[in-house]
Amino acid sequence: MTYLQIEGTNHLSGSVTINGAKNAALPLIVSSILAKNEVKISNVPEVEDIKTLISLLKNLGAKADLNHHEALLNTTTLNQTTAKYDIVRKMRASILTLGPLLSRFRHCEVSLPGGCAIGQRPIDLHLLALEKMGANIQIKQGYVVASGTLKGAEVLFDKITVTGSENIIMAAALASGKTRLLNVAKEPEVVQLCEVLREAGLDIKGIGSDELEIYGTNGECLEFKEFAVIPDRIEAGTYLCAGAIVNSKISVCKVNPSHLSAVLAKLEQMGFGIIVENDSITLLPAKEIKPVEILTSEYPGFPTDMQAQFMALALRANGTSIIDERLFENRFMHVSELLRMGADIKLNGHIATITGGKELNAADVMATDLRASSALILAALAAKGTSRVHRIYHLDRGYENLEEKFKALGANITRLEE
Ligand code: UD1
């Protein structure tokens, strides 16, 4: 198995170019199921989750290729409507195929994604919304079996769900009549999906708000235009935290700073300087790293996908920080690994109390999920000695060229085989 060996350091410098957002590219690639033409998408990150999705589309009979960050997708040849367990189990976001497959083919079977390390992660809200639109849904042998002709409906999401919103937006696109969605997620990734569908001819109103009106095409596929995926705000935030944890000046380029407002606000509260230019952000060292209070919430609140990285950073603060994880019930898997490095963190339900300022020592640590893994890399950078981060396949799901990017910042990081 592959692992990363990381030497502790007290300095990084330079700049990192940020890739396209994985979580935007996933629904955008899936949305090609709604297209009547070949879809060309640029700035697609070449990470494992995207490769898994491309193989799922191929498995369904589509032509799908990813080269030099450009995806070419032709779903006019799609002749299967079963998203198999073998692929879905590798990536929960495969559930995004449910809405578009059902609305285009009126029948599909998508394996239930099951639980994952960060919590139970149900899809009940996706299913309830489709039922409201007239779908007949049954769970058979671990698969969601859905059929029916979708009709516009009014859907109020009980909870804000990112992939749930995306799934139902795509379902509504080819349905008949008007769908009104309330309490929709406003994440930039959801907004880009709506914009791309609008460009493709869909009549959709309220983009960027939590209320959408979608006038379905009654089965008529859409004519997609070429577009580029928005920058990955979580990748950008992770590298900013890397600079911060060793209190060094670093820059991230090719980003959309407005997508990072909550993250930048917390870095400023911790004492770091932030210089925002058009599509770059520079982090300046803090005179003193101050403790912070963080409550994760839906966009534009502080993203749960940055919680683990800020926990690592809080270990360097001069005082006690509080992190309240409100979205996922089990998203503190990184804590036990950070404790092995000498961290002082106390957990009480969904609240973590982090006492900063203790020296961190290198250790062998185990990655448990995508963002937890990046927190371990950050902690290893700040620790004394050489750490090894195991199970890095989690990282490869979402970070492209991670070692090269860290090396470019001056880190001593190597990918090795056990
Ligand atoms: C997406 C992101 C993930 C991010 C998360 C929250 C993708 C591919 N993944 O995940 O990186 O951490 O948003 O920002 O974009 N819920 C239900 N029932 C449902 C759906 C969700 O109870 O049917 C709950 C979840 O358990 C969770 C909350 O709603 O507590 C938010 O989850 P959701 O926004 O759906 O997360 P994902 O879309 O899976």
Side-chain angles (χ1 to χ4, degrees):
M1 279 246 244
T2 326
Y3 66 95
L4 286 176
Q5 182 169 289
I6 300 159
E7 264 177 44
T9 178
N10 51 21
H11 187 68
L12 293 176
S13 65
S15 70
V16 183
T17 301
I18 299 304
N19 284 101
K22 167 182 89 71
N23 285 356
L26 289 168
L28 290 168
I29 290 172
V30 172
S31 75
S32 69
I33 295 174
L34 307 171
K36 59 166 86 147
N37 59 326
E38 184 179 68
V39 180
K40 193 171 176 181
I41 315 178
S42 56
N43 204 31
V44 177
E46 294 188 9
V47 294
E48 282 311 309
D49 272 7
I50 299 292
K51 292 176 190 166
T52 302
L53 184 60
I54 296 273
S55 58
L56 171 59
L57 283 183
K58 281 186 175 161
N59 205 267
L60 296 173
K63 290 187 188 131
D65 280 308
L66 175 61
N67 285 307
H68 306 296
H69 299 109
E70 189 174 278
L72 274 182
L73 311 159
N74 187 337
T75 62
T76 56
T77 53
L78 205 144
N79 54 8
Q80 298 285 323
T81 53
T82 301
K84 296 201 182 111
Y85 174 70
D86 276 358
I87 298 188
V88 177
R89 75 186 168 86
K90 287 191 198 153
M91 188 188 55
R92 290 185 46 82
S94 311
I95 195 65
L96 283 167
T97 54
L98 181 63
L101 280 178
L102 180 60
S103 71
R104 180 162 154 200
F105 298 100
R106 294 167 192 194
H107 177 88
C108 70
E109 303 188 7
V110 178
S111 173
L112 272 170
C116 74
I118 65 173
Q120 201 188 9
R121 297 182 89 174
I123 54 156
D124 54 321
L125 301 174
H126 305 226
L127 302 185
L128 278 172
L130 289 174
E131 279 177 336
K132 194 102 201 276
M133 296 174 76
N136 181 327
I137 297 201
Q138 292 179 352
I139 307 295
K140 282 190 194 158
Q141 297 180 325
Y143 278 75
V144 179
V145 180
S147 59
T149 306
L150 295 181
K151 291 183 217 62
E154 177 157 313
V155 174
L156 166 66
F157 292 102
D158 279 351
K159 261 189 188 178
I160 298 177
T161 158
V162 175
T163 48
S165 300
E166 292 163 345
N167 224 339
I168 304 312
I169 290 165
M170 290 189 278
L174 302 197
S176 64
K178 173 174 140 185
T179 297
R180 194 157 164 252
L181 301 178
L182 304 166
N183 206 22
V184 178
K186 292 182 288 188
E187 269 66 5
E189 296 76 20
V190 181
V191 172
Q192 187 178 27
L193 173 68
C194 294
E195 285 170 349
V196 165
L197 293 177
R198 184 180 56 194
E199 285 294 299
L202 183 67
D203 187 356
I204 172 167
K205 297 193 169 62
I207 298 179
S209 77
D210 58 4
E211 251 185 74
L212 293 175
E213 268 182 22
I214 300 170
Y215 294 83
T217 64
N218 198 9
E220 164 95 21
C221 285
L222 301 165
E223 176 99 33
F224 276 62
K225 306 234 169 68
E226 214 179 301
F227 61 90
V229 177
I230 55 169
D232 196 318
R233 59 195 170 103
I234 306 301
E235 189 195 16
T238 302
Y239 285 105
L240 287 172
C241 283
I245 206 163
V246 290
N247 208 12
S248 300
K249 176 182 173 186
I250 67 137
S251 301
V252 288
C253 310
K254 269 188 83 178
V255 296
N256 183 334
S258 70
H259 293 167
L260 280 140
S261 300
V263 167
L264 298 182
K266 288 297 161 191
L267 287 169
E268 281 181 325
Q269 280 173 29
M270 294 182 85
F272 299 98
I274 298 289
I275 302 173
V276 171
E277 274 153 312
N278 274 349
D279 68 347
S280 73
I281 302 168
T282 299
L283 175 113
L284 303 173
K287 285 197 186 76
E288 179 202 351
I289 305 181
K290 295 183 213 141
V292 70
E293 281 190 25
I294 288 175
L295 190 147
T296 65
S297 73
E298 298 85 2
Y299 190 85
F302 186 91
T304 173
D305 286 353
M306 284 301 304
Q307 178 258 105
Q309 299 87 320
F310 267 78
M311 188 178 296
L313 178 55
L315 295 171
R316 307 301 287 165
N318 198 356
T320 301
S321 299
I322 307 280
I323 295 184
D324 187 345
E325 171 56 60
R326 290 288 178 94
L327 289 184
F328 293 110
E329 70 270 21
N330 193 22
R331 209 173 195 179
F332 282 139
M333 309 275 285
H334 41 286
V335 171
S336 51
E337 300 303 298
L338 292 173
L339 294 180
R340 304 186 65 250
M341 300 176 84
D344 182 347
I345 304 171
K346 302 223 164 26
L347 282 184
N348 185 2
H350 50 83
I351 297 176
T353 306
I354 304 118
T355 306
K358 308 257 157 71
E359 189 172 84
L360 293 176
N361 293 305
D364 277 279
V365 286
M366 201 78 90
T368 48
D369 76 59
L370 173 55
R371 306 305 170 186
S373 330
S374 52
L376 299 182
I377 294 194
L378 301 186
L381 282 172
K384 203 166 155 212
T386 304
S387 298
R388 280 174 293 270
V389 180
H390 302 268
R391 295 204 185 147
I392 55 163
Y393 51 84
H394 289 291
L395 279 165
D396 294 334
R397 284 187 40 221
Y399 290 93
E400 185 177 332
N401 282 338
L402 181 114
E403 304 96 270
E404 285 74 12
K405 289 188 182 188
F406 271 113
K407 276 182 192 154
L409 292 177
N412 193 341
I413 174 167
T414 327
R415 186 177 284 246
L416 295 166
E417 292 295 326
E418 314 252 3

